[in-house]
Amino acid sequence: MAAHTDTYLLQICHVCSRKMSIYLTLALVFQVIHVHAIPEDPLMTYDQWYSAGTAAYTKEKWVSDCVRRCKKRVFEERPDGTASKEVEEAFESLKPYDYLQLCYYKIDNLEQAIATAYTFLLGNPEHEPMRRNIEYYRKMPGVKLDWFKDIELKTYQAYYLQALDHYKKDEWLMVLENMEKALQNYYKEHEQCAALCEEKYDHESFPEFYNAISDHYISVLKCKMNCPVKMGRVYGKPNKHYLADHFHYLQFAYYKVGNIEKAAQAVASFLLLKPDDDTQFRNKIYYLTQESISETHFTPRQDLMKFHLEQTQMSQLLRYAEKHYISADSEMEEKDYPEEVPPRNRGVNPEDLIKTYPVDPEGIKEYEGHGVKIIGDEVLLNGTERFAADGILTEDQCNTLIELAQKATIGDGYKSLNKPGTSPHTSHEIFAGLDVTKASELAQNADVDPEWVQLYLDVADKARDLARKYFVGDKPLYFDFTHLVCRTALEGGINREDLSHPIHGDNCLLLPDGTCKKERPAYVQRDYSALVYLNGDFEGGNFMFNYPNKTIQSEVKPKCGRIVSFNASNLHGVQPVIKGKRCAVALWFTLDSNYREAAHIIARSMLKSISKKPTGPKVISHTEL
Ligand SMILES: O=C(O)CCC(=O)C(=O)O
Ligand SMILES: [Fe+2]
């Protein structure tokens, strides 16, 4: 490469390169940072600008093209805020830096030539000519090391890369400091990226007003959904798990500095984004073996939950739009949004064991053996994949488990949603729960009789066995989460219009149109659910299966030893507990071994290690049905 010194050419090149860099800055700035700088030539589109620059470059017409472009001085508004696909792709592969570096070199701006060459090479490490250029620059006299810098690097990426550097050197506190900053800057950058999607939208035709609004909105949503993809590029290379990876490094660094709770939280955050990750699942099992850690510590971080919820809602909206608006080519309808509370007092007093609409007595089957009797099937319970049975626990066993539940922490399991002392679902009840890990810790600390915990684990096993036999046959069914919960009515809730537990599916997000989407943050891994009831001496609190419009399909009145089990997508809820305390063991099962709850295994081994041997016949056996 030979440097030109001709002054005129130098000027022209300067203009060209300025246009290129204005374009670069503007296109990136305009699209990413939302700053409306006024360019020299407001009528030129980005595409025109880009092709002008590249034409001047490729034809080595450093004079004519640049001059022609530079003479055009019209001060109107830029006609197009977006670039074509090809131009966008060129930018993504950092191609403009290739042009720019030569331009800078030709006008003897070595510092910028080096920075642009270096930036290009980072994104295109296999590019031999640029590698040779860099070698050439390195050997030039007067060149400073800090001229080799990445112009494209954003703050969020810079912190991320710094954190990785510290990670390599085992500097854990520095990893934490930089990775936390990287995360906060990622969210900020994402906000800006999403804000830019609100830019004007060019309609191909002239649709009528409502269609125009819908089209625009859909295009904005699509653009916003693409932000994490765009932002996951480091040095021009895509990383699909860029955001999730932050939590991987955070969990390790928090572990290294001894903050196991934050490490567990980071694992849960990672799994929220990438639920089938084996390594993090194994980490989770490992952390669960630590004394201070229980299942409840595996709650994703608030900032991520907020971010993830927004993403999920956007994708739901987009799907909804694609299904109902784009494909059907019709307007979205609001009219069949269901009511929040199902119609009650349908003239039937829920006194019977099971109330169904309609009732089919023929559907009742006796389930032979071992004291368990199926009292409700798909016909009786008026829906698919569901059953109810009696006799899974004796009165004594129910009382023991209720006693164990007294040790439950208020709000346990729903920490993030719950005001202390009330239920996450209704302000008229107290909600307190105990998971198996917590229960076994209580046994270990001699706060409860280990037999009680053994009973808790055994009834969970029995419920799982029943569900497996009823729904899946020979395949294994794993525990996903197990929770002993009591809901206690507060005074003065007689005329309540709310529910104890709003209508929901256990593995999906219920949308206003009554469909239930299997998407995070719902626990999509859950395949079957079961409730084992421990008492019936309270008012209200019937379990119900519901139609998508939230009206009732069938009800189950809780009583000691009764189990209701169903496909986790079945819509269901709990009617308000008007008086007294309602206790149950809630269980969620999964067919996916990646999600198996390690807590049961750990709890059993904890119990084994407790010297006090269980006595008496309270423990139920894992009998075949
Ligand atoms: O307690 C019940 O009957 C149902 C509770 C429930 O649906 C849940 O916790 O997801
Ligand atoms: Fe549920």
Side-chain angles (χ1 to χ4, degrees):
M1 289 197 289
H4 290 249
T5 45
D6 177 278
T7 3
Y8 185 60
L9 193 58
L10 194 141
Q11 257 180 357
I12 297 305
C13 256
H14 186 69
V15 172
C16 251
S17 87
R18 234 178 81 215
K19 283 214 167 185
M20 258 310 202
S21 62
I22 288 173
Y23 175 65
L24 260 178
T25 330
L26 253 181
L28 297 170
V29 162
F30 186 81
Q31 293 190 13
V32 179
I33 308 172
H34 210 209
V35 171
H36 294 267
I38 310 267
E40 282 183 16
D41 190 354
L43 262 198
M44 273 173 78
T45 66
Y46 289 122
D47 281 2
Q48 284 168 338
W49 216 326
Y50 187 75
S51 59
T54 48
Y57 172 90
T58 44
K59 294 181 198 150
E60 294 232 357
K61 287 199 292 180
W62 303 102
V63 185
S64 63
D65 231 48
C66 287
V67 171
R68 192 166 57 78
R69 291 286 168 201
C70 291
K71 277 187 180 158
K72 220 170 169 216
R73 299 182 66 81
V74 189
F75 295 101
E76 281 174 37
E77 219 183 75
R78 180 164 306 287
D80 184 7
T82 54
S84 71
K85 203 165 163 20
E86 294 87 77
V87 173
E88 257 180 26
E89 274 168 16
F91 271 85
E92 258 165 29
S93 61
L94 306 178
K95 195 89 189 110
Y97 287 109
D98 189 5
Y99 303 133
L100 271 179
Q101 76 94 26
L102 187 56
C103 248
Y104 278 125
Y105 178 76
K106 283 179 188 281
I107 62 168
D108 284 340
N109 185 341
L110 214 51
E111 185 172 347
Q112 283 300 323
I114 290 176
T116 45
Y118 186 71
T119 303
F120 177 80
L121 192 63
L122 285 174
N124 300 276
E126 312 296 324
H127 197 275
E128 264 316 304
M130 196 59 88
R131 190 170 284 283
R132 282 199 297 276
N133 286 350
I134 290 283
E135 287 308 303
Y136 170 83
Y137 288 134
R138 269 197 211 287
K139 289 179 196 142
M140 283 177 90
V143 165
K144 298 202 177 109
L145 253 183
D146 60 8
W147 292 0
F148 294 84
K149 62 169 186 252
D150 181 4
I151 303 171
E152 282 267 303
L153 204 65
K154 300 259 165 51
T155 319
Y156 76 100
Q157 294 168 320
Y159 280 124
Y160 182 82
L161 294 173
Q162 270 172 39
L164 293 200
D165 268 353
H166 292 298
Y167 185 85
K168 282 182 209 140
K169 295 181 211 148
D170 293 359
E171 294 163 351
W172 307 115
L173 284 172
M174 293 306 287
V175 173
L176 290 175
E177 191 183 319
N178 283 285
M179 210 44 110
E180 288 289 4
K181 282 187 185 155
L183 253 188
Q184 296 323 312
N185 279 284
Y186 179 93
Y187 296 135
K188 263 195 226 155
E189 182 74 27
H190 183 271
E191 256 175 43
Q192 286 167 342
C193 178
L196 277 167
C197 293
E198 313 271 354
E199 271 303 319
K200 63 184 172 193
Y201 168 73
D202 206 14
H203 291 285
E204 281 160 16
S205 56
F206 294 97
E208 59 91 19
F209 184 61
Y210 287 109
N211 280 0
I213 294 175
S214 312
D215 286 351
H216 186 180
Y217 192 52
I218 289 166
S219 91
V220 167
L221 277 180
K222 282 188 175 163
C223 169
K224 287 186 178 180
M225 290 301 291
N226 199 36
C227 283
V229 181
K230 278 206 260 183
M231 288 173 57
R233 295 183 87 89
V234 186
Y235 296 151
K237 296 273 166 298
N239 174 2
K240 241 172 72 190
H241 304 298
Y242 182 72
L243 179 58
D245 283 348
H246 287 70
F247 297 103
H248 161 68
Y249 295 113
L250 281 174
Q251 71 84 20
F252 198 69
Y254 275 123
Y255 169 71
K256 284 290 188 182
V257 300
N259 193 337
I260 311 287
E261 291 197 4
K262 284 236 173 182
Q265 209 183 32
V267 168
S269 305
F270 187 102
L271 287 170
L272 181 66
L273 297 170
K274 206 175 159 217
D276 49 2
D277 188 84
D278 255 358
T279 312
Q280 295 306 330
F281 183 73
R282 280 198 296 274
N283 285 346
K284 179 174 171 179
I285 295 193
Y286 171 74
Y287 289 133
L288 276 169
T289 61
Q290 307 290 302
E291 232 174 62
S292 58
I293 296 297
S294 68
E295 191 67 40
T296 49
H297 288 104
F298 290 90
T299 308
R301 292 164 53 133
Q302 282 290 321
D303 50 0
L304 179 70
M305 288 221 268
K306 182 171 167 283
F307 176 85
H308 192 257
L309 187 68
E310 279 167 14
Q311 293 292 110
T312 315
Q313 283 169 343
M314 276 196 288
S315 81
Q316 278 169 10
L317 269 173
L318 206 51
R319 286 216 194 153
Y320 183 89
E322 269 163 5
K323 195 164 152 216
H324 297 273
Y325 173 74
I326 301 171
S327 59
D329 204 22
S330 64
E331 288 170 38
M332 292 191 203
E333 291 186 356
E334 260 183 83
K335 63 176 192 297
D336 24 76
Y337 281 9
E339 299 162 55
E340 190 43 49
V341 181
R344 303 192 54 232
N345 304 327
R346 300 163 54 131
V348 209
N349 208 351
E351 224 120 75
D352 314 346
L353 300 183
I354 293 183
K355 196 171 279 103
T356 63
Y357 313 92
V359 174
D360 177 5
E362 294 306 305
I364 302 176
K365 275 191 262 156
E366 282 279 325
Y367 214 90
E368 289 297 316
H370 305 287
V372 178
K373 187 175 149 199
I374 295 288
I375 53 160
D377 62 4
E378 296 193 342
V379 179
L380 193 61
L381 294 171
N382 205 10
T384 52
E385 286 207 279
R386 51 183 71 168
F387 75 87
D390 274 348
I392 182 166
L393 285 170
T394 65
E395 282 292 336
D396 273 359
Q397 289 169 335
C398 286
N399 291 336
T400 302
L401 289 174
I402 291 173
E403 221 173 319
L404 175 62
Q406 309 279 22
K407 297 283 178 183
T409 337
I410 285 169
D412 175 40
Y414 292 85
K415 237 188 203 163
S416 57
L417 303 167
N418 197 33
K419 282 193 255 116
T422 57
S423 159
H425 313 296
T426 166
S427 55
H428 295 289
E429 294 172 21
I430 288 175
F431 182 97
L434 188 68
D435 64 27
V436 289
T437 310
K438 194 91 191 53
S440 57
E441 280 166 10
L442 290 174
Q444 204 175 33
N445 299 337
D447 287 334
V448 300
D449 188 333
E451 259 186 76
W452 300 359
V453 181
Q454 188 72 45
L455 176 63
Y456 182 10
L457 295 177
D458 286 346
V459 74
D461 267 0
K462 190 157 185 175
R464 178 181 58 158
D465 216 36
L466 255 166
R468 184 176 65 79
K469 286 201 169 69
Y470 203 92
F471 299 118
V472 291
D474 291 337
K475 272 193 284 177
L477 191 63
Y478 305 96
F479 290 111
D480 175 68
F481 188 54
T482 311
H483 210 198
L484 171 57
V485 277
C486 297
R487 300 156 192 261
T488 309
L490 293 167
E491 293 296 315
I494 308 286
N495 296 319
R496 283 169 54 184
E497 281 299 316
D498 61 333
L499 295 172
S500 172
H501 203 135
I503 293 152
H504 64 283
D506 286 335
N507 61 6
C508 49
L509 303 167
L510 185 55
L511 301 184
D513 69 350
T515 53
C516 206
K517 286 271 172 223
K518 260 184 119 171
E519 254 168 42
R520 299 266 158 198
Y523 298 102
V524 291
Q525 73 277 11
R526 294 179 177 175
D527 292 298
Y528 294 97
S529 311
L531 284 310
V532 175
Y533 296 110
L534 304 179
N535 65 325
D537 54 345
F538 51 86
E539 268 177 44
N542 272 10
F543 172 93
M544 59 188 163
F545 285 115
N546 302 81
Y547 288 108
N549 70 3
K550 298 195 177 180
T551 53
I552 301 169
Q553 279 178 331
S554 55
E555 289 177 51
V556 177
K557 185 174 166 56
K559 75 165 213 179
C560 164
R562 175 163 293 167
I563 177 175
V564 57
S565 183
F566 49 92
N567 182 308
S569 304
N570 277 331
L571 297 185
H572 60 280
V574 181
Q575 295 179 354
V577 179
I578 307 295
K579 203 168 169 196
K581 176 154 120 180
R582 173 198 195 266
C583 296
V585 179
L587 304 114
W588 293 275
F589 312 117
T590 175
L591 292 164
D592 186 342
S593 62
N594 287 321
Y595 289 96
R596 63 202 174 277
E597 190 187 10
H600 284 249
I601 305 162
I602 297 165
R604 278 198 188 277
S605 65
M606 239 186 218
L607 282 187
K608 252 193 212 152
S609 68
I610 301 171
S611 56
K612 184 174 182 277
K613 293 270 173 295
T615 52
K618 268 184 183 170
V619 179
I620 54 175
S621 59
H622 310 191
T623 45
E624 294 281 308
L625 286 168

